[in-house]
């Protein structure tokens, strides 16, 4: 198999798992336009929006976890593509266990599975490469990419993902930033559920829109990030706030680090099935 294809695909897929931590919400439908408030929000509108978002922030922080579904779409740059992540996520400390489906990154690799699994915990993401591809990994099933610390997956991860890992934030933290945004404004009510929508700009070229249900929890978010000529849009739904999240990392002897995989591919050792 073409080593460059594997390098790009696995790096992008593993790093994309990081961004699923954005505050999610169950789909409340499209928000109705807020009229003139969208162009020139009054102080009262902004105060009411800030109050609602702050309350959602407090509930989200207290819940600590949720069931999530995030659709990631990247356009432009070297990591253009899309994937859907479904599963559970915990924040503080951060961890997730997610099934990856409808992924253009997987579809680009001949023989790759149609879906896979990503586990994030302890500052690393583990991607199941599939039983049929372990000849490339020395017989090991899981690819590990460090997401924290000086190594942080090697220089190629942010290069290939156009800074995807940079938008990984605690979902409550995102709401806290939105509540303080000078551009925060109400966007109206969802047509089918009555959830109230709010939007505003965040630091770092990001824009966040959130739909908050009658129970005060976020039901849906859309986070858009522009960086280095690439746009990343994450549409997340969340349900069952406070759900139990028991994330277990794969066994060390069934895991290969990203740097080691690159060495194997460069050295032409991908055809072996032994561990080492």
């Amino acid at each position: 198999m073409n080593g460059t294809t594997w390098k790009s695909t696995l790096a992008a897929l593993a790093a994309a798992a990081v961004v699923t931590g954005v505050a999610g919400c169950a789909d409340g439908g499209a928000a109705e336009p807020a009229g003139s408030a969208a162009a020139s929000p009054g102080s009262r509108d902004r105060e009411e929006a800030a109050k609602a978002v702050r309350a959602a922030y407090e509930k989200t922080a207290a819940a600590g976890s949720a069931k999530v579904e995030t659709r990631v779409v990247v356009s432009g740059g070297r990591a253009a593509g899309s994937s859907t992540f479904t599963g559970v996520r915990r924040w503080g400390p951060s961890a997730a266990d997610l099934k990856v489906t409808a992924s253009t990154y997987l579809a680009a690799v001949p023989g790759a599975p149609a879906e896979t699994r990503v586990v994030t915990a302890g500052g690393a993401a583990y991607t199941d490469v599939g039983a049929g591809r372990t000849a490339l990994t020395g017989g090991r099933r899981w690819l590990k990419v460090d997401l924290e610390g000086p190594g942080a997956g090697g220089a190629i991860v942010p290069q290939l993902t156009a800074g995807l890992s940079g938008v990984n934030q605690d979902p409550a933290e995102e709401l806290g930033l939105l509540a303080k945004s000078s551009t925060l404004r109400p966007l109206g009510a969802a047509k089918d559920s009555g959830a109230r929508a709010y939007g505003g700009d965040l630091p770092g070229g990001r824009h966040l829109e959130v739909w908050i249900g009658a129970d005060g929890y976020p039901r849906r978010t859309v986070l858009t990030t522009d960086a280095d000529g690439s746009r990343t849009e994450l549409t997340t739904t969340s349900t069952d706030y406070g759900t139990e999240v028991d994330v277990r990392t794969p066994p060390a002897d069934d895991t290969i680090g990203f740097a080691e995989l690159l060495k194997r591919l460069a050295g032409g050792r991908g055809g072996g099935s032994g561990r080492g």
Side-chain angles (χ1 to χ4, degrees):
M1 160 146 330
N2 185 300
T4 300
T5 300
W6 264 96
K7 182 190 301 182
S8 301
T9 301
L10 295 178
L13 186 59
V18 185
V19 300
T20 59
V22 178
C25 359
D27 191 351
E32 296 174 346
S36 60
S40 180
S43 60
R44 179 173 298 180
D45 287 336
R46 190 190 177 287
E47 289 173 3
E48 292 178 353
K51 181 179 179 180
V53 174
R54 278 196 301 267
Y57 154 78
E58 292 173 358
K59 297 199 74 166
T60 302
S65 63
K67 294 181 180 179
V68 298
E69 178 177 299
T70 295
R71 181 65 178 169
V72 180
V73 179
V74 184
S75 55
R78 297 179 59 188
S82 57
S83 293
T84 295
F85 297 84
T86 307
V88 293
R89 187 188 186 277
R90 184 182 69 221
W91 45 94
S94 178
D97 192 336
L98 304 157
K99 181 171 68 173
V100 185
T101 58
S103 174
T104 60
Y105 302 117
L106 288 174
V109 180
E115 62 183 50
T116 189
R117 180 180 169 207
V118 172
V119 173
T120 61
Y126 302 82
T127 302
D128 185 351
V129 302
R133 312 257 48 97
T134 56
L136 290 164
T137 62
R140 286 165 283 189
R141 182 73 179 254
W142 294 86
L143 169 68
K144 178 182 178 182
V145 176
D146 291 323
L147 306 172
E148 298 176 359
I156 197 166
V157 172
Q159 180 183 21
L160 289 173
T161 59
L164 268 180
S165 57
V167 299
N168 180 39
Q169 296 285 344
D170 182 309
E173 181 179 345
E174 294 285 0
L175 291 173
L177 291 172
L178 180 61
K180 298 175 182 178
S181 173
S182 61
T183 62
L184 175 63
R185 64 189 186 277
L187 301 178
K191 296 177 181 179
D192 54 355
S193 70
R196 305 295 299 181
Y198 307 90
D201 297 326
L202 304 184
R206 294 177 294 162
H207 181 82
L208 179 64
E209 296 182 359
V210 58
W211 283 254
I212 300 174
D215 59 0
Y217 283 109
R219 295 299 175 192
R220 179 172 178 257
T221 56
V222 178
L223 178 68
T224 304
T225 303
D226 291 296
D228 301 324
S230 178
R231 167 164 288 195
T232 302
E233 183 175 281
L234 299 93
T235 301
T236 303
T237 65
S238 282
T239 59
D240 299 296
Y241 279 91
T243 192
E244 182 179 354
V245 178
D246 182 16
V247 175
R248 301 182 182 183
T249 58
D253 63 356
D254 202 21
T255 299
I256 184 171
F258 187 65
E260 182 181 350
L261 177 60
L262 293 184
K263 291 179 181 178
R264 291 185 65 86
L265 293 174
R269 291 184 290 158
S273 60
R275 301 177 186 269

